[in-house]
Amino acid sequence: MTKKENVTLFKEIDPPHELFSMVLTRVALARQNAARFRLVIFGTIAFSSALMLVPTLQYVASEFKISGFYDYASLFLDSFSHGYWQELLYSLAASLPSIALLLLAIISGALVWSLWHTNRNARIVFTRFALPA
């Protein structure tokens, strides 16, 4: 009969000791390059939303003047002593420029969100790591 030998199909090969650090360096470079791209995108969004915030604030201020919110607010504060504050509360709520405030909230939210992501990606991009010798 034939003799069965214990034959290994694959021999274990020890990788070079620099391989692990080279792989980690390459992963860090790929992560940094992806963060550069995201930094440009989120920086552009942050810059655009900061530019759009100025006219939005002007729009909100003009809508508050047009709607008469300030007049109702001053009457509401004065009405606590006279007892008709509930009726003025409804008028105050009706005169609130909700579309302008919604627009302001959306643009402010986009600005904060993009600044947060820009900061996170900038930390990745500007981190130095040691190259293998």
Side-chain angles (χ1 to χ4, degrees):
M1 303 254 165
T2 60
K3 188 177 177 184
K4 287 189 175 180
E5 294 181 18
N6 199 3
V7 179
T8 58
L9 295 176
F10 299 106
K11 294 181 181 178
E12 292 182 20
I13 300 174
D14 290 330
H17 62 20
E18 305 95 19
L19 182 63
F20 184 68
S21 65
M22 290 172 57
V23 167
L24 288 180
T25 303
R26 183 72 177 149
V27 167
L29 278 173
R31 183 176 179 224
Q32 202 171 34
N33 287 337
R36 274 191 192 107
F37 178 72
R38 289 190 309 262
L39 179 66
V40 169
I41 297 298
F42 287 121
T44 304
I45 293 171
F47 182 72
S48 300
S49 58
L51 284 179
M52 290 187 330
L53 193 62
V54 174
T56 304
L57 287 172
Q58 291 173 348
Y59 174 67
V60 168
S62 70
E63 285 296 311
F64 268 108
K65 287 178 188 174
I66 292 171
S67 69
F69 183 80
Y70 296 124
D71 299 330
Y72 285 122
S74 64
L75 282 174
F76 177 72
L77 293 175
D78 186 45
S79 68
F80 281 119
S81 61
H82 299 301
Y84 55 93
W85 62 272
Q86 291 172 340
E87 292 84 11
L88 284 173
L89 181 63
Y90 294 126
S91 300
L92 186 66
S95 69
L96 187 68
S98 57
I99 299 295
L101 291 176
L102 181 65
L103 186 63
L104 180 66
I106 289 170
I107 291 175
S108 299
L111 178 64
V112 169
W113 175 77
S114 61
L115 283 176
W116 184 73
H117 281 287
T118 301
N119 182 25
R120 191 175 74 179
N121 288 311
R123 287 176 186 237
I124 294 171
V125 167
F126 296 116
T127 299
R128 292 184 178 239
F129 52 91
L131 294 175

